[in-house]
Each structure stands twice: as C-alpha cells, then as structure tokens.
Amino acid sequence: MPDPASLAAEIVAVRWRADDGGFAVLVGVPEGGDEEFVLTGPIAHLHEGDSVDLTGTWREHPKFGRQLHVEQVKVGAPTSTDALTTLLESVKHVGPKGAEWLLERHGSEVLEIVDRDPGTRLREVPGIGKAKLAAAIASWQQQAGGRALRMLLAEHDVPAAVAARVHKALGGGALALLNEDPYALSKVDGIAFATADAVARALGTAADAPERIHAALTHVVRAAEQDGHCFLPRAELLPRAARLLELPVETVAAHVEDAEDLVLDGDRVLEARMDRTEHRLAERVRELSDAPPTLDVDVPDEPPEDGDAPPTATQWRAVQLATEHRLTILTGLPGTGKTATMRALVDLLVEQSRTVKLCAPTGKAARRLSEVTGAEATTIHRLLEYVPGEGFARDADDPLTGVDLLVVDEASMLDVRLATALVSAVGPRTHVLLVGDVDQLAPVGPGRVLEDLIASGTVPSTKLVEVFRQAARSLIIRAAHAIDRGELPPTQAGEDDIRDFFLIERDDPQRVFAEVVSLAIKRLPKHYELDPVSDLQVLVPMHKGPAGIDAFNETLRAELNPSGRDVKGTQFRLGDRIMQTRNNHERQFYNGEIGVIAANDPARGTLTIVGDDGRRITLDANEAGTLRLAYACSVHKMQGSQAPAIVIALARGHAPMLTRNLVYTAVTRSQQVCVVVAERGALPTALGRVDASRRNTRLVELVS
C-alpha cells in the first residue's frame, strides 16, 4: 500500500510538464532539509520558488525510485532568498542581475512592493528601459495573477487536480476575472458549485447576492441536464437551489425571472442554450416531415423473394416509407430484422446508383454497421466534420450534399444536442432513416429523442415485432424479449435451441463477485476458446461496493495481467484492457471504445493501443488521463458496442441503478454467450422498474 504523507517544501525544479497543463513531474526540497525529492501528479500549475504544503502518498517507481504523488497542495508566499530569486528571474527582461538588484533594494517584501506599483518599480531596474517596460509589466502581472490564484485556491482546500484545471482554463488573469465575475469559476469544466461558491464568498460576495443565486439556479439546471432532463419544474428547482445556498425558498424565487442564462416556459425552467436547441430540433423535424420526397427510385410494391432471408412485408414497408418521406424511423427488439431491413434498403438504392451514407453515435457501432450492411459507415462526429474546440463544420450554413439517403443506427443514443447538430446538417435533397431500440438505456446526454419522435406521431415509424426463426433459437434473444416484458429470462433450452444465455443466482455480493471472476478468467474463455482480455466483457451497474466496477477491475487485472510492465506516468500496464472515456477526434478513438495496451515508447512518450476492431492507435502519454481500466465497465459505457462474451454482475447494492432497461441493454451486448450472475432478489428488482427516473423534455409538444 502507498504511504500517506504530509510535508512542507519548496519547489526547486520542473522536470516535465504535460502540454495540457495538468500532470507534471517536479523536484522539491523539504522545509528544514536539503535532500531533493520528486513530486508527481496534477501539479502543473506550480512553479519553481513556490512554497507548498503537500498531502499525498509515497510510491516506489520501478525505474525512477521513490516519488510523492500529490493529491492536495497549499501554496504560500515564497520566503527564501532562492525562491524569491527564481520568481524574479522568470519575469521578462528582469533576469539574474535585475532579480539581485530588486532583492537588495526591497528585501523579503519585494513581491508585495512591486505588486503595488509594478510600472514604477520595474522602471527602476537597470536594463529595463521604455522599450522593454510594457512587456516586463505584462509578464509581472501574469505571474502575480497566477501566484495569487494558486494561493486563493489553496486557501479553500481546492484539490490539486482542480487547481490545475482552473489555472489552465482561466490563466494568469484569473483573479481579475473572478473579482469581476465571482462565479466564473463555476463555468470551468469539473469545478463543483461548492468550490466556486467558497472562492466567491472569500472575495466578498454576500450570501443573498443576485449573482450567487443566479449561479446556483444555473448550476441546478445544468446538473439536471446531466441526469437527462431538458428542464426542471419550478417546484423542483427552487427547493434544490435553496438547499444549496442555505437560503429561504422565497429569497431564491425572487431571482428566477432575472437570471440571464435561464428561460421560463410556463412552470418549466431551462437554460437558454437548451431552449434554443430543443426549438431548433423541433423546427428541423417538422421541416423534414412536411417536405416532399426527393428520392426518385423505383420501389416494387412487393418485397423481393430471392436471397437467403427475403424481407417480410413489414420490413419492406419500412423500405418504402424511407423512400416516400424525408424522415422516417425503424425500431424493434433484437432478432426482428432491423439490420436486414437496413441492408435491403441500402442494396435497393445502390443498385439504382443512389448515394447512401451510414453513421452511428460511436465508432464501434459505426464499424459494426459497416460490417452488417456492406456499406461504409462513420461516426456522426466524423460525418459532420467535428473540430475540437470549434464544433461541427457541417451545419445549416454548410449542410451535407450529394447524399440521397442517410441511415443513422443506434439512434436511441442520440441526445438533443447531437440530434440537433445532425438534422441541422441534413442537405435539401437527403432522406434520413433513424434506426434504434427505445427499450435500451436512454442517452447519456439530455433528452430521449428517438422515443419522443415516435411518441409525437409526426414522423412515419415502423416497429418490427416478428422474431425470425433462426434468431428465436437463441436464448439470448428470448431472454432479451422476456426482460423487455418484465419477465424472468428463460434458461431451459430445447433440442434445437442455442444455449447461449445462463442465469446464476448467489446469496450475497461476495459470492456474486467470486462467481463472475471465475467465469471471466477461466471457465468461459476455456469453454468457448476466447481471449479473456480482448473477447470478454464484465458489465456492472455501479463503480463502488464489494461487487462494483472498481473492485472487479482490480481483481481481474491482478489475475489476467499480473506481470505487465508499468507504463511510465500512468496507472496502466502493458497488456491492460482499457476504455477511452472522452472523444479523441484527432486519434479517432472515441468515448466507450475499448482496446488493449500493446506497447509504449518512453523515449517518444507514446503508447500503442490495439482496439477491439484490430486498429492500432498511438496516443501521447499525456492523453492516458482519458483512459480507464475496462476488464469491467458500466452498461452505459458499453451501449452501442458488443463483445463475444458478456458477464453481467447484479447485486442488491446496485439498487439505485437496477432497471429493466439496464439489464436488457446489457444482455443485448453479447454476440456469442451471456451469463447473468445475480444476488437473489436483484434481478426481480430490476425487472420491476422500467426506468430509474422520468426525463423532462418538451420535444413531443414542440414537434406535434
């Protein structure tokens, strides 16, 4: 186990600092000592000369020896002559001689004296004339602002990782910005309202200040978006914000209508950006639904009868609708032929020289779509030419052209923002078919677009219900249908059935854990001749607990990759199964994609990942912060993906997440075999809950 530690020190050198301004390797000297030690962690906001109080853990690196991994840092004013000299030398045009002159002139109070009037004091420094003064002042103010910001954040016990993000996001002028807008901090990604509020209050913001109440109201609405809601009823918003602020509800209520970032729609409150997004989505849906068809193709009245699995009448009607309307929907449970219908539609258009493009929300889903249809497919982000930091290049002003039909698979994963971007970029002659399964988990982002469009009755929709004979032989398919009805899945197989689904019950979470580990590392890989690292996925509803994702990842890695060599600067080893947790558009490695770390090059600072699809992806070492161990992962992260073998762990402690949709989605991720290992009572709990919570959306009424 790592050794916890707390000590005071001075930063004396920077060995390495990540380009993203987060992770760094620094050298420190403890207070009262002279033996240098190495610090690592999210401390790139620290500089040579900083006096710091550190909290962290000592770790033994196999190559670089003993290091302190910093978790909390408090920054004080530099006091030693060496620290002050280092800081002064770093100011543009001051240099070593100027630093020596300033110290001799002003002594230990040099920073405070120059801070009060940098123009006058720096003009006095030998060698800084008129031509250099402006640059020297700007450099001093930038450094002073960063120094003051670090001290302010440290004073309020802001974790090192958060302080690094704030410093990177707001820069040296952050303190001035915070003085002008105390709640600018709450707009930084990953900064909790409580942190921003503590800093703002320290800067003198009153408890009942309008800007404080506005920031809390906006925070609560944004937090609701993270739970999938597009708005909050006023009756829910006000008490939540009042509890956050520790103010009477009446005081908060008096400021709702003048909050600039919020829109009131009757009793509903939402962010102005979300209001515009929902209205834009509804407007485009109505335009596409009302527009006449532009796809001039010959579609026979009856489905073709040739081929191994000719389309049914219902499937063929979906093909006809897609050619007769600019926007249509195809939905259905597993085994009902959604893929076969898409393939029939694509084949029909390609035979008549029409241009078809296929896309999906995730890279894994796009590649699977390409495999089953025989046509090229891409992610929605790539289709719309997403540029990090700028957004989508394709939009209403520069729509997709030369596309006769756009097929969007896994459309149940579309949240309102991505759906709006997609339909806004549809060209004037493009037909769109949305394909998905509304019984899967709702999108990670706000809204339930596919479900709402079907409920509106505005968009022509086809629901496939007939299960094909071959598919019906699979117990996985039959289990999925039973779960969708809220029934226990069948486990008894007939003579002609494919026994690819199993249900195992255990009495407590510890036995669930042991059974899943045994299945994952030995029994399933041996019986089905699978690679336990690359071919098998353990799915778990929650991260914490005795049968949580974190516990599974720790044990499964110890069993499956005990001797993998450590990858420098990361928590990973060569051979680890990992998952990307954010879209990396430059590397085309997207949120939810899984791979195995195959190699690393310390000299170049890179690591190589082999994806589940066989691609080799090279990442910079500083990009490893978006990776996570993935021997086990959440069902949400696996949505849109599949694996040959799926093992699902369900415990009663997972109750907050246990829903019918979650189990249904987990089971339908399996291609070859699925095993559910459940604590007694956990599966019935899940089957009895259609969804953990409702979603507040307006799309049905805006479209209708």
Side-chain angles (χ1 to χ4, degrees), residues 548-630:
I549 294 170
D550 297 342
F552 276 117
N553 271 325
E554 182 178 348
T555 298
L556 290 172
R557 177 163 77 165
E559 294 287 343
L560 295 173
N561 190 25
S563 56
R565 197 169 73 246
D566 286 344
V567 177
K568 178 185 174 183
T570 77
Q571 60 173 310
F572 306 110
R573 305 171 183 167
L574 289 181
D576 271 344
R577 180 175 175 86
I578 54 85
M579 173 180 284
Q580 173 71 300
T581 61
R582 292 184 186 175
N583 287 331
N584 186 329
H585 299 279
E586 182 181 353
R587 314 291 183 185
Q588 295 181 33
F589 193 35
Y590 298 103
N591 187 5
E593 292 199 78
I594 292 174
V596 174
I597 299 178
N600 80 303
D601 186 338
R604 295 184 178 179
T606 61
L607 55 94
T608 301
I609 294 165
V610 177
D612 276 1
D613 57 354
R615 290 183 306 142
R616 295 182 73 83
I617 303 152
T618 300
L619 300 178
D620 290 337
N622 61 13
E623 294 177 303
T626 63
L627 304 179
R628 178 183 294 164
L629 285 177

Side-chain angles (χ1 to χ4, degrees), residues 11 42 47 63 84 101 121 123 128 220 343 400 416 427 433 436 445 467 473 479 508 568 629 652 663:
I11 306 301
H47 297 280
K63 183 175 180 181
L84 289 168
W101 186 91
R121 301 286 80 86
R123 190 169 58 243
I128 298 182
V220 172
R343 192 162 49 233
L400 298 166
V416 290
L433 173 64
V467 181
R473 293 178 55 211
D508 54 55
K568 178 185 174 183
L629 285 177
R652 287 189 292 181
V663 179

Side-chain angles (χ1 to χ4, degrees), residues 391-428:
F392 296 106
R394 294 289 188 174
D395 54 20
D397 296 325
D398 187 14
L400 298 166
T401 55
V403 182
D404 295 309
L405 174 70
L406 178 63
V407 178
V408 185
D409 197 17
E410 297 286 357
S412 63
M413 297 177 68
L414 291 174
D415 62 31
V416 290
R417 294 191 181 96
L418 187 56
T420 302
L422 181 65
V423 297
S424 295
V426 170

Side-chain angles (χ1 to χ4, degrees), residues 215-263:
L217 289 166
T218 302
H219 167 79
V220 172
V221 170
R222 286 178 180 165
E225 288 183 13
Q226 294 176 2
D227 292 332
H229 300 300
C230 296
F231 69 84
L232 273 181
R234 187 193 289 250
E236 289 185 36
L237 170 63
L238 295 180
R240 289 191 196 182
R243 285 194 297 273
L244 189 65
L245 295 164
E246 296 183 342
L247 291 174
V249 172
E250 297 76 15
T251 303
V252 177
H255 292 277
V256 175
E257 297 193 9
D258 56 356
E260 291 183 2
D261 292 339
L262 300 181
V263 169

Side-chain angles (χ1 to χ4, degrees), residues 54-71:
L54 305 167
T55 302
T57 52
W58 288 108
R59 298 179 180 178
E60 194 68 34
H61 192 282
K63 183 175 180 181
F64 300 104
R66 190 168 169 83
Q67 301 176 338
L68 180 67
H69 182 76
V70 177
E71 294 153 7

Side-chain angles (χ1 to χ4, degrees), residues 149-458:
L149 176 66
R150 295 195 300 276
M151 294 177 66
L152 178 64
L153 297 177
E155 182 183 340
H156 294 284
D157 296 323
V158 176
V162 175
R165 285 200 298 273
V166 173
H167 196 266
K168 177 176 180 289
L170 300 184
L175 203 59
L177 176 62
L178 290 175
N179 277 304
E180 182 180 335
D181 178 7
Y183 287 90
L185 198 57
S186 65
K187 298 171 186 175
V188 177
D189 184 36
I191 307 299
F193 173 81
T195 298
D197 193 40
V199 174
R201 294 299 303 280
L203 292 172
T205 303
D208 60 352
E211 60 266 33
R212 181 172 185 253
I213 296 173
H214 293 166
L217 289 166
T218 302
H219 167 79
V220 172
V221 170
R222 286 178 180 165
E225 288 183 13
Q226 294 176 2
D227 292 332
H229 300 300
C230 296
F231 69 84
L232 273 181
R234 187 193 289 250
E236 289 185 36
L237 170 63
L238 295 180
R240 289 191 196 182
R243 285 194 297 273
L244 189 65
L245 295 164
E246 296 183 342
L247 291 174
V249 172
E250 297 76 15
T251 303
V252 177
H255 292 277
V256 175
E257 297 193 9
D258 56 356
E260 291 183 2
D261 292 339
L262 300 181
V263 169
L264 274 66
D265 179 11
D267 189 45
R268 300 173 290 196
V269 185
L270 65 162
E271 259 204 302
R273 290 179 302 176
M274 178 59 69
D275 180 63
R276 292 191 296 269
T277 298
E278 278 196 303
H279 275 285
R280 174 60 178 159
L281 176 56
E283 177 186 19
R284 282 297 288 146
V285 167
R286 289 196 305 271
E287 289 173 355
L288 289 170
S289 298
D290 295 340
T294 57
L295 196 54
D296 184 17
V297 290
D298 181 22
V299 184
D301 292 335
E302 299 297 328
E305 297 180 358
D306 54 338
D308 297 333
T312 65
T314 304
Q315 290 174 336
W316 194 245
R317 183 56 188 148
V319 170
Q320 293 172 325
L321 283 173
T323 64
E324 295 168 357
H325 299 271
R326 292 284 305 282
L327 178 63
T328 56
I329 293 172
L330 174 65
T331 186
L333 300 183
T336 57
K338 295 191 299 295
T339 299
T341 306
M342 281 190 287
R343 192 162 49 233
L345 175 61
V346 170
D347 290 346
L348 174 73
L349 268 62
V350 170
E351 286 172 3
Q352 299 187 43
S353 301
R354 297 298 184 269
T355 302
V356 179
K357 285 193 179 270
L358 300 95
C359 64
T362 68
K364 189 72 178 286
R367 285 186 284 276
R368 185 160 54 87
L369 178 61
S370 183
E371 291 169 4
V372 299
T373 61
E376 183 182 354
T378 184
T379 64
I380 295 173
H381 281 75
R382 191 172 183 188
L383 176 75
L384 303 184
E385 301 174 21
Y386 180 80
V387 179
E390 298 181 20
F392 296 106
R394 294 289 188 174
D395 54 20
D397 296 325
D398 187 14
L400 298 166
T401 55
V403 182
D404 295 309
L405 174 70
L406 178 63
V407 178
V408 185
D409 197 17
E410 297 286 357
S412 63
M413 297 177 68
L414 291 174
D415 62 31
V416 290
R417 294 191 181 96
L418 187 56
T420 302
L422 181 65
V423 297
S424 295
V426 170
R429 299 191 61 80
T430 301
H431 284 225
V432 180
L433 173 64
L434 304 177
V435 183
D437 182 350
V438 294
D439 294 316
Q440 290 190 27
L441 286 169
V444 174
R448 50 180 187 194
V449 173
L450 187 65
E451 187 177 350
D452 282 350
L453 291 181
I454 293 172
S456 74
T458 301

